[in-house]
Amino acid sequence: DYTERGLVPLPDTTEARHLWQMIDPWVYRERITMPKMIINGTNDPYWPQDALNTYWDDLKGDKYILYVPNAGHDLTEVDGNGKKDLLPMRAINTLAAFARSQIFNKEMPNLSWVCKEADGVCRLAVQAGKPKAVRVWVADAPTRDFRKARWTEDKAATSPFEVTAPAKGFRVFYAECDYEIDGQPFTLCTQLRILEAK
């Protein structure tokens, strides 16, 4: 859509550069120090799944991630039979909990992680405080295009999580932790990681 409208690549005009300075938060990221909640659908057709990894480390202040599995740009989850949820409740619950934490000065969980890869195995160590549950979501695809991939969860895995590269193609994964704030359930995630067959 952006390419068809001639917005990508950015036209080389004074007006276009001025517009970009206003609408691209990356340009003024040093001033954005308030807490941030980033919510992405894992099957969003507009962005590569690992796009967040290109800017995550440079964001200032507290920051949180929610990936909504098997959801597109509208954040509505789709089951294995292709049926969409009526409402994007995972996103709504997490956004509501984040808003509640900001309005009532409630502390959000301190979720951190380290991912180390060696010999086709990635070990994801998660420090999650006291979550109610932790799971890993995984999807495979023949290319780095996961827009049509089906994500599945592994509830039995424990941290550090070990995810092995696929025999062929690509595998993407992230960890998700369930929490509660004032009776409001919500989830937070780690960054996702893509492994390539060796």
Side-chain angles (χ1 to χ4, degrees), residues 114-125 160-165 173 193-195:
V114 175
C115 194
K116 294 184 180 177
E117 185 180 348
D119 300 322
V121 176
C122 192
R123 292 174 55 87
L124 176 63
F161 304 101
E162 288 193 359
V163 179
T164 305
F173 69 95
R193 183 74 174 260
I194 297 176
L195 298 174

Side-chain angles (χ1 to χ4, degrees), residues 1 5 8 10 13 19 28 43-44 58 62 76 82 85 97 102 128 132 145-146 162-163 166 173 179 186 194 197:
D1 292 346
R5 287 176 174 80
V8 178
L10 179 68
T13 65
L19 176 64
Y28 49 88
N43 301 79
D44 191 323
D58 293 323
D62 294 337
T76 303
D85 281 345
Q102 301 307 303
K132 293 186 169 290
D145 182 353
F146 291 92
E162 288 193 359
V163 179
F173 69 95
Y179 296 100
F186 68 100
I194 297 176

Side-chain angles (χ1 to χ4, degrees), residues 10 24 29 37 49 56 86 106 155 173:
L10 179 68
D24 185 357
R29 67 189 177 280
M37 171 60 68
Q49 277 64 36
W56 177 257
L86 184 59
K106 302 250 180 194
K155 292 182 181 179
F173 69 95

Side-chain angles (χ1 to χ4, degrees), residues 64-99:
Y64 308 94
I65 307 167
L66 170 65
Y67 282 108
V68 182
N70 301 305
H73 200 67
D74 65 358
L75 303 176
T76 303
E77 294 177 60
V78 179
D79 70 16
N81 297 318
K83 181 182 177 205
K84 275 189 159 191
D85 281 345
L86 184 59
L87 293 171
M89 292 311 298
R90 189 182 305 251
I92 290 170
N93 287 344
T94 298
L95 188 56
F98 177 72

Side-chain angles (χ1 to χ4, degrees), residues 20-32 59:
W20 202 256
Q21 293 288 320
M22 290 189 305
I23 64 170
D24 185 357
W26 182 256
V27 174
Y28 49 88
R29 67 189 177 280
E30 297 295 329
R31 294 181 293 172
I32 306 174
L59 294 177

Side-chain angles (χ1 to χ4, degrees), residues 2 4 10 17 21 24 49 51 58 62 75 98 106 110 113-114 121 127-128 137 143 151 166 171 174 179 182 185 192:
Y2 300 104
E4 288 174 8
L10 179 68
R17 285 189 294 279
Q21 293 288 320
D24 185 357
Q49 277 64 36
D58 293 323
D62 294 337
L75 303 176
F98 177 72
K106 302 250 180 194
N110 185 13
W113 55 90
V114 175
V121 176
Q127 297 292 321
W137 286 92
T143 68
W151 291 75
R171 177 166 291 150
Y174 65 91
Y179 296 100
D182 292 340
L192 57 75

